[in-house]
Amino acid sequence: MELTLVDRRYRQAREIYGEFGIDTEKALSELEKFQLSIHCWQGDDVQGFEWQEISFGGSGLQVTGNYPGRARNAAELRQDLEKALSLIPGRHRVNLHSIYGEFDRPVERNEYEPAHFRGWLEWARSLNLKLDFNATCFGHPRAASGLTLSNPRKEIRKFWVEHVKCCRRIAAYFGRELKSYSIHNLWIPDGLKDIPSDRWLYREYLYLSLEEIFEQEFSSNLLKDSLESKLFGIGSEAFVVGSHEFYLAYALKKGKMVCLDLGHFHPTESVADKLSAILQVGQEILLHISRGIHWDSDHVVISNDDLDTLAEEIVNSPCPEKIHLALDYFDASMNRVGAWVLGARSVLRSLLRALLLPWEAIKQAELAGDSLTKLSWRQLSRDLPLGAVWDFYCLNHNTPPENLWLAEIKDYEDRVLSQR
Ligand code: RNT
Ligand code: ZN
């Protein structure tokens, strides 16, 4: 599509939205404010660069597919991330897991240090990117039982406590060096496949482990902690130690964030609905934007009602700066770089859609008790030319409009990925 056509379509769209009292220019400048934290682990199927292969047994995670071209080292992963970022409009963040350190000899997870992440730091600095971070309490022989921070065996708990402590220090190092807080998110696979006989025991161990982990305090300019719950996982079907209630209670009392993963709740539960509930009291929230299908929580994000409703809640929040957005999915059955682009662009497009809804009319109708009018406005808004505004935004950020990014991914696949 030529630039002039995108321009013309936009001008027409601006006029159409204008007739409904919607200011597209304002929506476009609002959209600039949203940053996504792009998860590095989509690029290599959550393998990382440790000397031993990651094994998912007991980990609660499973990656399926064997599409060719996955990144095999840090240089390839960074190259792929750069490609993806060049197709996503706006300035975003990158989210690392600890297994993506660069190690020149075998280093155990309780010995990870900032030095192992210097390569990432320098790369981020050169591109003016900020980094977020995650401890990796899975895919390791000491996690094979599926119990880490809540393991009844003291030496195993100690190992994982030390690991998470190292990871918080690394996140704070990113925060300090890049002059922006780094979010450290903690998800653990802990749970039981079958009916627990002593739920209290595991939860008390997890509580005590967290107390030890958070003993070291950091300024929130450097580090923000978040805790991610799950309803169930593979191997933890009957019981999850770090449930939503567990972490929500902990986070509220201790001034931490909860991380809400869109794939981690019962399908009829709405994460969108939780934002305004938690933020009445809670300080901040991290979102793991994902797409759950049946038991799997990590499908590539595309626009659907869940995402659209989430975006509506975010743009309508009086405190959107308290809601941190991160992607979280992994699919090894398709071009992995394209999967990043598709997910990130879908989130941004849903945010734009939400910014362009006729909120005044909708809210007025609701307050007047006129449900029919409220719903009719929503229905009508489906026919507004969102795509024209989105394409204009993309081009203004030197990224391709919606019908052209896929060709760039195919070209990258031919030139780079298929050579691996
Ligand atoms: C797992 C959690 C967690 C992971 C990443 C790799 O169910 O969603 O966030 O996806 O840490
Ligand atoms: Zn997650």
Side-chain angles (χ1 to χ4, degrees):
M1 198 183 301
E2 281 176 26
L3 194 130
T4 49
L5 179 55
V6 171
D7 265 336
R8 261 187 289 138
R9 283 179 63 220
Y10 173 67
R11 242 171 267 147
Q12 201 185 22
R14 188 174 59 191
E15 208 180 306
I16 297 171
Y17 275 105
E19 279 172 25
F20 293 97
I22 303 164
D23 183 346
T24 55
E25 301 285 317
K26 188 162 163 244
L28 289 173
S29 76
E30 289 287 311
L31 189 58
E32 304 274 350
K33 296 180 190 157
F34 291 101
Q35 287 206 324
L36 306 180
S37 191
I38 312 283
H39 58 318
C40 78
W41 52 92
Q42 164 59 40
D44 76 332
D45 315 336
V46 208
Q47 284 300 305
F49 312 133
E50 284 183 313
W51 74 99
Q52 55 187 9
E53 215 177 291
I54 285 270
S55 81
F56 285 103
S59 73
L61 292 184
Q62 201 122 52
V63 188
T64 47
N66 56 356
Y67 200 84
R70 83 172 181 86
R72 295 160 300 180
N73 52 50
E76 289 180 355
L77 189 57
R78 291 198 270 261
Q79 184 189 16
D80 290 354
L81 275 163
E82 283 178 37
K83 182 69 205 179
L85 288 166
S86 76
L87 301 174
I88 302 168
R91 178 163 298 290
H92 302 289
R93 305 169 65 95
V94 168
N95 200 1
L96 298 176
H97 243 284
S98 75
I99 49 175
Y100 291 82
E102 289 166 88
F103 311 101
D104 50 14
R105 61 177 179 86
V107 182
E108 255 309 346
R109 288 196 195 168
N110 58 350
E111 291 164 358
Y112 283 5
E113 284 175 23
H116 300 128
F117 294 86
R118 202 167 287 141
W120 283 107
L121 179 81
E122 271 153 26
W123 174 77
R125 195 178 271 141
S126 73
L127 296 174
N128 195 14
L129 289 166
K130 311 298 178 193
L131 296 174
D132 296 312
F133 204 58
N134 301 259
T136 317
C137 302
F138 55 81
H140 186 279
R142 284 195 168 92
S145 68
L147 293 166
T148 63
L149 293 175
S150 73
N151 198 305
R153 286 174 56 191
K154 190 166 180 219
E155 70 278 13
I156 304 233
R157 284 202 310 278
K158 184 166 174 279
F159 174 82
W160 290 112
V161 165
E162 284 169 6
H163 170 62
V164 183
K165 283 182 164 181
C166 295
C167 291
R168 290 180 76 234
R169 284 196 290 270
I170 294 163
Y173 158 77
F174 288 153
R176 194 172 304 115
E177 296 291 324
L178 297 173
K179 299 194 171 36
S180 156
Y181 64 85
S182 175
I183 296 184
H184 179 268
N185 178 53
L186 179 63
W187 173 78
I188 57 170
D190 295 38
L192 296 180
K193 185 182 171 76
D194 229 317
I195 311 170
S197 53
D198 192 344
R199 293 169 199 263
W200 184 278
L201 174 92
Y202 300 102
R203 292 203 165 121
E204 187 173 17
Y205 281 140
L206 177 54
Y207 175 80
L208 293 172
S209 291
L210 293 179
E211 289 295 277
E212 227 180 300
I213 286 166
F214 295 130
E215 249 165 31
Q216 185 170 10
E217 286 178 24
F218 295 91
S219 143
S220 60
N221 296 327
L222 304 183
L223 170 71
K224 293 175 192 268
D225 288 295
S226 79
L227 296 161
E228 181 179 6
S229 64
K230 198 165 180 172
L231 180 64
F232 76 93
I234 298 172
S236 61
E237 290 83 359
F239 171 61
V240 171
V241 186
S243 59
H244 181 52
E245 289 72 13
F246 179 99
Y247 285 134
L248 184 60
Y250 190 90
L252 290 179
K253 177 136 187 218
K254 309 279 178 174
K256 306 290 180 197
M257 285 191 260
V258 281
C259 167
L260 306 176
D261 185 310
L262 261 70
H264 286 196
F265 293 87
H266 188 280
T268 65
E269 240 179 305
S270 156
V271 168
D273 178 65
K274 296 179 192 296
L275 302 181
S276 59
I278 293 175
L279 288 175
Q280 297 296 325
V281 177
Q283 292 299 304
E284 288 172 82
I285 289 177
L286 172 64
L287 287 174
H288 267 188
I289 305 181
S290 177
R291 183 166 54 98
I293 296 191
H294 294 302
W295 60 84
D296 182 70
S297 60
D298 300 294
H299 276 64
V300 177
V301 168
I302 51 172
S303 291
N304 59 13
D305 282 353
D306 285 346
L307 185 59
D308 284 345
T309 316
L310 186 79
E312 289 178 21
E313 285 300 310
I314 295 168
V315 308
N316 273 337
S317 169
C319 46
E321 72 287 352
K322 293 184 179 177
I323 306 169
H324 304 274
L325 308 179
L327 301 178
D328 181 20
Y329 50 79
F330 27 90
D331 189 333
S333 73
M334 67 174 85
N335 180 309
R336 295 166 184 81
V337 185
W340 270 320
V341 177
L342 179 59
R345 289 180 63 119
S346 301
V347 174
L348 294 168
R349 193 179 186 281
S350 279
L351 286 165
L352 180 62
R353 174 197 162 274
L355 288 165
L356 289 170
L357 285 179
W359 287 114
E360 251 181 62
I362 291 175
K363 288 179 183 180
Q364 253 180 37
E366 178 165 304
L367 290 176
D370 184 352
S371 272
L372 181 67
T373 302
K374 176 170 82 170
L375 293 183
S376 301
W377 274 106
R378 278 191 166 272
Q379 192 62 24
L380 182 138
S381 70
R382 286 182 181 263
D383 296 331
L384 296 175
L386 169 63
V389 184
W390 169 244
D391 281 345
F392 182 74
Y393 185 76
C394 290
L395 267 195
N396 273 343
H397 286 81
N398 295 318
T399 55
E402 201 55 28
N403 64 336
L404 291 184
W405 67 262
L406 188 60
E408 290 221 23
I409 288 291
K410 296 288 184 196
D411 170 65
Y412 187 71
E413 181 164 330
D414 289 345
R415 282 188 302 105
V416 181
L417 302 178
S418 66
Q419 311 301 317
R420 289 182 183 162

